[in-house]
Amino acid sequence: MALMSITDEPAFVRLVAESMPKADTFVDDAADTIAALPPAELLADWRDTRGALHAALRAVPEGRKLVWFGPPMSGASMATARLMETWAHGLDVADTLGV
C-alpha cells in the first residue's frame, strides 16, 4: 500500500475510497488473502516489494506529501511509520507465539 501511495497516487486514493465502507474488515480481509499464499511466494513478494519501496522512498522529493489512510506525510515519515508497524506487528506475532 505504501508503494502504491508513492508510485500510483490516483489508484491509492481510489483504494482508500473503496475501503471506507469496509473499514471494519478491510485489513483482515487483505491479511486473509495474503496469508493464503504459499510461504515461499509470500516471502519472495515481501522481499521484492520491500526493495521497490526502499527505492521509491529514497526518490520521494523533499516537500512531497504522500497520501495515506490518515493524514498525508513526508517520505521520511512514511518510512518511519512503516518500520514502526513492521516491528510492532512482529512483536504482536512473537508475543502470540510465545517466542
Side-chain angles (χ1 to χ4, degrees):
M1 304 250 174
L3 183 60
M4 183 190 298
S5 173
I6 298 166
T7 62
D8 192 349
E9 188 172 312
F12 184 79
V13 169
R14 283 191 303 276
L15 176 80
V16 171
E18 291 167 3
S19 72
M20 288 303 112
K22 305 177 276 187
D24 291 344
T25 62
F26 177 73
V27 172
D28 289 340
D29 291 345
D32 288 345
T33 299
I34 292 168
L37 294 173
E41 184 179 332
L42 177 60
L43 180 59
D45 180 63
W46 184 83
R47 287 178 171 160
D48 290 345
T49 303
R50 178 192 62 190
L53 179 58
H54 177 252
L57 283 165
R58 290 182 57 89
V60 172
E62 186 71 31
R64 178 179 174 197
K65 295 295 186 182
L66 303 170
V67 294
W68 196 240
F69 292 93
M73 63 183 87
S74 68
S77 291
M78 177 69 83
T80 302
R82 304 298 61 83
L83 284 169
M84 178 278 304
E85 285 189 342
T86 300
W87 285 103
H89 296 305
L91 182 60
D92 291 340
V93 171
D95 286 349
T96 299
L97 296 175
V99 297

